[in-house]
Amino acid sequence: MEKAEIIEELRKYRYAHRGLFTKPTCPENSLMAFGKAAELGFGIEFDVHLTCDEKLAVIHDSGLKRVTTVRADHKPVTPATASIPTETDVGCSGIIEYMTLAEAKAFNLEESREHIPEFREVLDLIGGRVPMIIELKPRDGNHEELTDAVVRALHGYEGLYCIESFNSFAVLCLKNKYPHIVRGQLASDLKRDASLMMPNDPREHFKTNTGTSLMVRDMMMNPLTKPDFAAYNILDRQNKVFRRYGGMKVIWTVKDPLDLEICEKSGATCIFEGFVPDGAFRAD
């Protein structure tokens, strides 16, 4: 299939953000959540990190604390609950890039029997049934190693997928070494995002200096990386750079059916969370 045809097919779907999860019993980025999404025909979006033994782990944050903690009040660890005093059983406070995959898999995800999946496990589970948006999560300058490892794992995979990253150097690596793969630039106002975080917010924090924030918000590396699509935070959907962008547009994370309708009418493909849309395909 030609690249333009792949992009056209990818545009047709709605994508479940980290799978169809219901915390804390069906965790985000788990095989259970991915399986539920695929059964209903939704595309899936998920995050990939490189472990110290060069395995590919599917997890959002570099830190494991948020997704392996079981709270005494049985609520998921979220920005809203992170500062509530309660006894907690912390599964692991390690960093995925400094652990082996086997070490990371020793811990349950929240209140389930699920474990951090290896990328290959996700590929085997999905088996080409639905398209995938794969986000590269580099750390400590390992963008090329991570990109190479993900592309190697995808060799021979018979299914639709694209690869995106906030890290423009990872996107550049895709352009230079794997131009046949549909690549995307993630974007958001990082300074604004940091200001919205609570003091004890357990999620991953980004660099928030003005230069980095402007570069990411306005996709300043695009003339060099030439992404096939731009994936913007829903809070930035009116950004003039995004509005002028001529390629495929993706909006994340849509948390309301009305916003889904509005974003799709604007021509965007959506990554959703917190509700189940009335169909797996976008409404045009």
Side-chain angles (χ1 to χ4, degrees):
M1 191 181 294
E2 296 294 326
K3 197 172 188 181
E5 295 176 292
I6 295 173
I7 292 171
E8 197 56 37
E9 287 298 310
L10 290 168
R11 287 185 68 255
K12 295 178 181 179
Y13 285 81
R14 293 164 171 164
Y15 294 82
H17 189 229
R18 308 176 200 168
L20 276 182
F21 62 86
T22 48
K23 290 172 164 290
T25 54
C26 179
E28 65 179 67
N29 277 334
S30 67
L31 294 179
M32 183 190 299
F34 297 145
K36 287 184 176 182
E39 286 171 11
L40 294 178
F42 292 109
I44 59 171
E45 180 273 349
F46 58 90
D47 315 274
V48 182
H49 294 250
L50 191 65
T51 64
C52 72
D53 58 342
E54 300 184 347
K55 301 291 180 63
L56 294 169
V58 176
I59 181 175
H60 182 268
D61 307 347
S62 282
L64 274 65
K65 182 175 181 180
R66 181 175 63 85
V67 295
T68 60
T69 296
V70 176
R71 292 172 54 90
D73 58 9
H74 303 289
K75 292 181 180 179
V77 181
T78 67
T81 64
S83 62
I84 298 174
T86 183
E87 293 181 8
T88 60
D89 177 12
V90 180
C92 179
S93 57
I95 302 297
I96 192 70
E97 283 81 6
Y98 307 153
M99 304 173 69
T100 66
L101 183 65
E103 288 171 339
K105 277 182 166 290
F107 301 93
N108 290 346
L109 292 174
E110 299 185 71
E111 295 187 25
S112 77
R113 294 184 180 275
E114 296 286 300
H115 302 273
I116 294 171
E118 185 173 6
F119 182 45
R120 172 52 59 187
E121 293 180 283
V122 179
L123 298 183
D124 290 343
L125 174 70
I126 299 304
R129 287 182 290 165
V130 296
M132 306 178 299
I133 298 178
I134 303 163
E135 181 180 345
L136 302 180
K137 285 293 190 74
R139 185 184 175 99
D140 299 335
N142 73 346
H143 52 275
E144 187 165 6
E145 293 87 345
L146 172 60
T147 303
D148 289 343
V150 166
V151 174
R152 280 197 304 270
L154 286 165
H155 181 73
Y157 180 76
E158 296 183 358
L160 290 170
Y161 63 86
C162 58
I163 302 178
E164 65 180 10
S165 186
F166 276 106
N167 188 305
S168 295
F169 295 103
V171 182
L172 182 62
C173 182
L174 287 166
K175 171 181 173 283
N176 290 340
K177 300 178 72 172
Y178 311 105
H180 63 285
I181 292 177
V182 177
R183 62 185 179 275
Q185 178 65 56
L186 276 158
S188 186
D189 185 332
L190 301 185
K191 290 194 75 172
R192 189 261 339 276
D193 296 347
S195 72
L196 296 176
M197 284 186 164
M198 298 175 67
N200 294 319
D201 197 311
R203 294 172 298 175
E204 184 176 25
H205 288 255
F206 292 103
K207 293 179 180 178
T208 54
N209 63 71
T210 300
T212 300
S213 186
L214 285 174
M215 180 177 290
V216 172
R217 187 194 69 187
D218 294 338
M219 300 190 297
M220 290 182 175
M221 290 273 287
N222 275 19
L224 187 61
T225 59
K226 294 181 169 55
D228 300 301
F229 68 94
Y232 256 73
N233 189 328
I234 190 171
L235 299 177
D236 299 304
R237 64 185 183 273
Q238 298 302 325
N239 177 283
K240 63 181 181 180
V241 176
F242 183 53
R243 294 179 69 178
R244 293 172 183 168
Y245 180 74
M248 172 181 165
K249 295 180 180 180
V250 177
I251 291 179
W252 54 274
T253 303
V254 179
K255 299 183 179 181
D256 179 87
L258 179 58
D259 282 336
L260 180 71
E261 181 181 354
I262 293 170
C263 292
E264 289 183 343
K265 284 183 176 179
S266 75
T269 296
C270 293
I271 300 171
F272 69 89
E273 177 188 306
F275 69 101
V276 180
D278 57 7
F281 296 97
R282 54 179 283 181
D284 285 317

